[in-house]
Amino acid sequence: MPTDYAYERVRQAKRKGLRSVSRWIEGNEYLDSNIPAERIRGILALNGITLTDFAKAMNMSLSACHYLVSGSSRITSETAVRLSYVLGGTAEKWVRMQYEYELSYVKVDKRSLSRLPILFRT
């Protein structure tokens, strides 16, 4: 039975694509972004760091770092500590950036809410 290697070539090409961050950006236009994933991509691209090297430095799997850099996963407090050590800044800065990004997308209809009679408000 003849073997078709096309599937294997496509799979290897996808893995190589995961390792390269430079295909996403060409310059440093994402360094001032308030989106955490774009900021990380900008730092990595500016310094010529591959996703594989980033994953090794973060002591995380390649797929977990890919999801972090692509914006599919959020920055947790543990990830923020790792980012502050590997990329710089403080863990609070990374967590604050993630929460500010998430709060910018929250939409609540305040007309459907009602206040409770509470004596002390913060």
Side-chain angles (χ1 to χ4, degrees), residues 34-37 68 71-77 79 93-108:
N34 63 346
I35 301 172
L68 181 67
S72 299
S73 68
R74 59 189 307 274
I75 296 176
T76 62
S77 55
T79 308
K93 179 191 95 166
W94 289 106
V95 170
R96 188 178 329 111
M97 190 185 317
Q98 179 69 40
Y99 285 128
E100 287 174 358
Y101 172 68
E102 290 173 358
L103 281 174
S104 67
Y105 284 98
V106 174
K107 304 281 190 250
V108 177

Side-chain angles (χ1 to χ4, degrees), residues 6-29:
Y7 172 77
E8 184 64 25
R9 284 195 304 269
V10 169
R11 189 180 71 77
Q12 288 177 358
K14 285 182 181 178
R15 286 194 55 82
K16 282 184 182 178
L18 286 176
R19 292 186 184 115
S20 174
V21 177
S22 60
R23 66 186 173 90
W24 278 317
I25 56 178
E26 294 296 322
N28 58 359
E29 64 266 12

Side-chain angles (χ1 to χ4, degrees), residues 7-70:
Y7 172 77
E8 184 64 25
R9 284 195 304 269
V10 169
R11 189 180 71 77
Q12 288 177 358
K14 285 182 181 178
R15 286 194 55 82
K16 282 184 182 178
L18 286 176
R19 292 186 184 115
S20 174
V21 177
S22 60
R23 66 186 173 90
W24 278 317
I25 56 178
E26 294 296 322
N28 58 359
E29 64 266 12
Y30 291 128
L31 287 178
D32 295 329
S33 175
N34 63 346
I35 301 172
E38 289 182 357
R39 176 85 52 100
I40 295 169
R41 279 193 301 237
I43 293 170
L44 295 179
L46 185 66
N47 294 300
I49 300 170
T50 64
L51 193 56
T52 304
D53 293 337
F54 178 61
K56 286 179 186 175
M58 291 282 288
N59 195 19
M60 294 172 65
S61 69
L62 183 64
S63 60
C65 286
H66 170 72
Y67 291 132
L68 181 67
V69 171
S70 67

